[in-house]
Amino acid sequence: MAADKPCRVSRKKMRNLFSEGLDVQYGKKFASAVINQNGKVRVTFEDGSTATGDVLVGCDGAKSRVREAIAGKEAARLT
């Protein structure tokens, strides 16, 4: 389905808009995620660093490691 009025946008401007008020760190590689007792999500990265928050958003593509961690390996398979 085609958009009615497609328009081009600057990727840099879009990133800046979506990251307002957030501490975005590029170059991190997801290793694992767990939900702790108070409902917070704790993510561990391959470099050993961690981050804790209320929401985990995976935008890492078709073979998403984030989706696999959340849904399980079988449920995350592409169909």
Side-chain angles (χ1 to χ4, degrees), residues 25-79:
Q25 298 177 33
Y26 294 99
K28 297 285 188 177
K29 291 187 179 185
F30 175 87
S32 64
V34 294
I35 300 174
N36 62 27
Q37 295 169 352
N38 64 358
K40 299 281 186 178
V41 180
R42 182 179 178 90
V43 176
T44 302
F45 298 97
E46 287 184 357
D47 66 2
S49 64
T50 62
T52 302
D54 296 311
V55 178
L56 172 60
V57 177
C59 53
D60 52 335
K63 296 181 180 178
S64 172
R65 294 169 71 187
V66 174
R67 181 177 56 245
E68 188 174 304
I70 293 169
K73 191 169 190 142
E74 189 61 33
R77 289 182 57 199
L78 297 176
T79 57

